[in-house]
Amino acid sequence: MKIILVNPRQAEVYGGLPSSIQLPLGLAYIAATAEQEGNEILVIDMETEGWGNKEFVNRIEELKPNIIGVTCTTPLFYKAVELCSLAKKVKPSIFTILGGIHPTIFPEESIKPTSVDIVVKGEGEKTFVKLLKCIETEDDLLKVKGIIYKKNGQIIITPERELIPNLDEIPFPARHLFKTQKYTYPDSLSKNTFPIITSRGCPGRCTFCNTQNIFGHWFRARSPRNVVDEIEFLIKRNRAQEIHIWDDNFTTNKSRVFEIRDEIKKRNIKIKFAFPNGLRADFLNEQILDCLKDMGTYS
């Protein structure tokens, strides 16, 4: 099937303030998983392109996709709903799917707009692939865990989907579908900077943090070899000079930190690292800080 994944433009919500434009890694993971299953994926990052509604509608008219999937945070929710509405005006039979942080936290609110057909809750890779197969074969959506949808005017909530235990099974983000040269990271020292996520979940219970509602308290981590494979891939393919690790709590498993450092040194990789999300002070000690510095961390 032909699928368009959309990252709405933030400038229309936040105004004309200058801001960095960073790769939407969650959308890139969804794209990679769907593409791996043989689907034709196009990504529209409206923020990167500087697109408004007119350009979006033109692309929908040109490609006439079967499905559009829109990711959104809370400030972008109404913009996401508007994009779904515009797509349906062009092609009434199109399936519109919302995912991301806001639809996960408020799924029953997110399914109410008439232009939204389906909401994907939480960790979306497996859910989205199962959903695509059901839509393609016209199978019963009730078989898909982790979604909310409408049927005959009724809102139907399917059982929660289990979190993915082995993160190594997920393909690397589909960065080739994004214009990576247009993304900026003002807190970096290097021009060619790329973000990665090496783990999901956090055992902490900080009152200000919503990660527990997305990934839970269960800390799941990619293997050190898998993490360094991605770093090496980014160096060879994209000439990466700096890696930003976007984990919620990278140092939860201290022995894994040392293993990643050892794998980096074993492959003689020389690259800078930073942790823009920060690291929890109560998950650090002097040995971990020395290890992070040894692998190239500066911030």
Side-chain angles (χ1 to χ4, degrees):
M1 292 191 296
K2 187 181 293 183
I3 300 136
I4 291 181
L5 299 178
V6 186
N7 188 39
R9 192 176 182 193
Q10 299 184 44
E12 295 184 19
V13 175
Y14 293 107
L17 295 173
S19 64
S20 61
I21 302 173
Q22 303 190 3
L23 178 71
L25 267 182
L27 205 64
Y29 270 114
I30 297 294
T33 311
E35 191 177 54
Q36 190 179 57
E37 295 296 316
N39 296 288
E40 183 182 347
I41 306 295
L42 174 73
V43 171
I44 298 177
D45 189 342
M46 297 180 69
E47 184 72 21
T48 307
E49 300 287 0
W51 280 11
N53 290 349
K54 181 180 178 181
E55 292 86 353
F56 173 77
V57 168
N58 288 343
R59 185 53 60 92
I60 299 296
E61 288 176 342
E62 174 192 348
L63 297 175
K64 293 183 172 55
N66 307 97
I67 294 167
I68 68 161
V70 187
T71 184
C72 67
T73 56
T74 298
L76 291 169
F77 172 67
Y78 290 108
K79 185 63 190 177
V81 171
E82 181 185 15
L83 294 175
C84 291
S85 179
L86 290 170
K88 280 194 172 289
K89 286 179 181 177
V90 175
K91 185 180 179 182
S93 64
I94 197 170
F95 278 91
T96 57
I97 304 171
L98 286 189
I101 294 173
H102 185 86
T104 293
I105 305 298
F106 299 108
E108 292 181 58
E109 173 192 287
S110 300
I111 193 64
K112 286 180 181 178
T114 56
S115 63
V116 178
D117 294 322
I118 304 166
V119 165
V120 171
K121 299 182 294 178
E123 199 169 49
E125 288 89 357
K126 288 194 173 182
T127 302
F128 193 66
V129 166
K130 297 285 186 185
L131 182 56
L132 295 181
K133 288 181 179 177
C134 261
I135 292 173
E136 185 177 20
T137 59
E138 299 182 356
D139 204 351
D140 190 349
L141 294 180
L142 197 58
K143 295 180 180 179
V144 183
K145 292 182 179 179
I147 65 169
I148 294 185
Y149 65 100
K150 304 186 194 93
K151 185 175 183 180
N152 300 324
Q154 297 294 313
I155 293 175
I156 299 173
I157 304 172
T158 69
E160 297 288 327
R161 179 170 296 280
E162 304 82 2
L163 294 170
I164 301 169
N166 181 9
L167 297 182
D168 285 6
E169 293 177 355
I170 304 173
F172 296 159
R175 292 181 175 88
H176 60 281
L177 298 177
F178 296 77
K179 296 181 178 178
T180 54
Q181 74 277 9
K182 291 193 175 184
Y183 295 104
T184 58
Y185 303 91
D187 47 357
S188 66
L189 298 179
S190 310
K191 182 180 179 181
N192 289 350
T193 297
F194 292 86
I196 67 170
I197 296 173
T198 80
S199 65
R200 295 179 179 180
C202 175
R205 297 178 185 272
C206 298
T207 57
F208 60 82
C209 182
N210 253 327
T211 193
Q212 59 190 312
N213 295 319
I214 308 291
F215 297 129
H217 294 292
W218 176 27
F219 178 78
R220 293 160 295 138
R222 295 164 56 192
S223 68
R225 182 173 181 177
N226 183 262
V227 171
V228 182
D229 281 347
E230 183 177 7
I231 293 168
E232 197 166 45
F233 173 81
L234 289 171
I235 293 171
K236 290 179 178 178
R237 183 185 176 103
N238 300 98
R239 298 181 180 178
Q241 299 169 315
E242 184 171 329
I243 299 294
H244 283 190
I245 296 180
W246 282 2
D247 295 23
D248 287 307
N249 201 3
F250 178 76
T251 56
T252 296
N253 183 339
K254 292 181 175 60
S255 63
R256 177 175 168 271
V257 178
F258 288 102
E259 290 170 10
I260 289 174
R261 188 274 314 269
D262 292 344
E263 188 70 23
I264 288 168
K265 293 178 76 69
K266 175 184 169 184
R267 304 192 198 187
N268 198 31
I269 291 173
K270 308 290 184 183
I271 196 167
K272 296 183 182 73
F273 288 92
F275 293 84
N277 287 354
L279 294 167
R280 276 183 61 136
D282 56 348
F283 280 78
L284 293 172
N285 57 35
E286 192 171 352
Q287 291 73 34
I288 288 293
L289 290 171
D290 285 338
C291 176
L292 293 174
K293 183 179 179 181
D294 194 26
M295 71 185 238
T297 301
Y298 73 88
S299 172

